[in-house]
Structures are given as C-alpha cells and as structure tokens.
Amino acid sequence: MVARIDVRSLVKRAKEEQNSCSRPQDANKSYGALAAETVRQHAQQQTRLDLTKASVSTDIQKLFYLPEFVNQAEELQLLAAVDAAPATRWINAGERKMQNWGGRPGESLVREKLPQFLQALVELLLAAGIFPPEQTPQHVLINSYGKSAGIPAHTDGPLYSPCVATITLGGPALMAFHKAFPDGTPGDLVSEVCTSFGFCLASETFGHAGSPFLTPF
C-alpha cells in the first residue's frame, strides 16, 4: 500500500518552517517534528509487505530491495532532520562521517531514546513487516559519504543479527555483497545492488561494501 501524501504542500511547509527558525536548536526541533509527523502518517497507512516479491538474488537468502520505500517528501524531511542535528553528533571516520543514535552498540546499559523522526522510521519498518515487534530496532547509525567515497566489505556483526535495514537517501548507492569466511573476512562477490532511495536487508552470512553517494540509515 502506498500512502497518499501531498508532496508539494509538505515540501512548501518544510521550507517555511526552515525560514521561521532563528536558532539551530529550533531548526532541529522543527525538522525533526515535521519528518516524524509525515513518516508516522505513512506508518499508520502501511500494510505488511510480501518480501518474497522483493528478493534480489537467488544466491543470497533474505536479501530484499524495496525502491521508494519512503517518498520524496519523506526523503527531504529526513535529510533535513539529519542535517539539523547538533554538530557534536557527527563523528569523522575516514571517507565518511556518521551519527550514532540509541546508545553505543555492545553497551547495553548505555541507552538513549531515538529522536522522534527516527522512532517514526522504526514504526514504518515494523508496520511493513521488516522487523517483528519482538526485535524492534533500538539503534540507528547514520552514515554520510562524499562523492565517490565508500567503505570496504565487512559484516555488521552479531549485535545487528538477524536483520539489518539500510535506507538510502539523497542519491543512488551501490552495495556489493560478498560471501563471508568464518573469521568475518570477505570472500567472493555474490551480488551487487544499485539503489535509488529504498532499503536492503542482508543476512549476517554475507559481507557488504558501500560505494558512491551512499547515505544509509
């Protein structure tokens, strides 16, 4: 089911709210609230998806691609909410910079609530049947890559098992999936997925690498 949302009016509203904000913290609250409202509306209308129809490769079990999982207005508002986050949230890591939300992986006692716009995105993933309720995501890693930047093949590790959702915003991305050896090092290339804005799910038995314009959630 595709939510019917007036994209033009929502984009206009986003620009008006941006112009009305005089301080960075106001912009952060404004954009976060607007993105949360829009994505939550989508989640309320979203029905459970048949993921078998979105399978990418017969060589990889449980790897799915859903283009345009978020619409244009949601994409713009989510990007604005990310950009409006405090500068201290960004961490430089080589060719990318990232934001970490929900606490640090591996430190179960160090938890924080997700911002409303990310919590709404989690609700959308649950409504679509990407995650079961008993495995509700509690952690979000936002990566921002410059032009032609990427990361080597890797596995996300047991803390992210059994399922990882990647949502691409702001441009296309190429994700390459490799077989993974028991020690976690990448093996042969199995499949490549070029995304617009949507998301992919990969089983933990495969490693993956990101390439140009990748800005996943």
Side-chain angles (χ1 to χ4, degrees):
M1 177 179 180
V2 178
R4 295 183 178 180
I5 299 175
D6 187 344
V7 174
R8 182 174 297 179
S9 65
L10 287 172
V11 172
K12 179 180 178 182
R13 178 178 168 187
K15 291 180 178 179
E16 290 175 347
E17 292 201 10
Q18 180 186 31
N19 293 333
S20 67
C21 295
S22 57
R23 295 174 298 178
Q25 58 266 36
D26 290 336
N28 186 23
K29 293 178 181 178
S30 173
Y31 271 118
L34 181 57
E37 177 185 339
T38 306
V39 176
R40 187 162 283 124
Q41 179 185 353
H42 184 168
Q44 291 170 351
Q45 300 179 44
Q46 179 68 53
T47 57
R48 188 179 181 86
L49 300 174
D50 181 1
L51 293 179
T52 61
K53 296 180 180 180
S55 181
V56 172
S57 171
T58 56
D59 296 321
I60 306 178
Q61 294 183 350
K62 298 182 180 180
L63 173 62
F64 310 101
Y65 172 55
L66 292 139
E68 300 184 8
F69 182 67
V70 294
N71 61 38
Q72 183 182 17
E74 292 164 344
E75 181 189 26
L76 291 173
Q77 292 165 15
L78 287 168
L79 286 170
V82 170
D83 290 340
T88 53
R89 274 288 179 178
W90 288 107
I91 300 173
N92 290 316
E95 293 186 320
R96 60 174 172 153
K97 60 179 183 178
M98 57 187 181
Q99 293 181 22
N100 183 64
W101 295 96
R104 292 185 291 273
E107 299 183 14
S108 58
L109 298 180
V110 182
R111 290 293 183 186
E112 65 175 355
K113 289 185 178 181
L114 294 174
Q116 283 299 306
F117 75 96
L118 293 179
Q119 184 58 44
L121 198 58
V122 167
E123 294 170 14
L124 178 58
L125 291 168
L126 291 172
I130 310 306
F131 292 91
E134 64 272 17
Q135 294 177 352
T136 298
Q138 299 177 327
H139 175 260
V140 177
L141 185 63
I142 300 174
N143 292 306
S144 178
Y145 295 84
K147 186 176 181 180
S148 300
I151 53 177
H154 64 282
T155 57
D156 291 317
L159 289 174
Y160 292 91
S161 180
C163 174
V164 175
T166 299
I167 298 179
T168 304
L169 303 171
L174 176 66
M175 297 189 73
F177 292 86
H178 300 253
K179 285 187 175 180
F181 292 112
D183 63 357
T185 56
D188 295 336
L189 176 68
V190 177
S191 181
E192 290 184 324
V193 180
C194 184
T195 70
S196 51
F197 54 97
F199 69 89
C200 300
L201 303 181
S203 69
E204 284 297 328
T205 55
F206 285 82
H208 61 269
S211 286
F213 299 100
L214 182 63
T215 310
F217 280 79

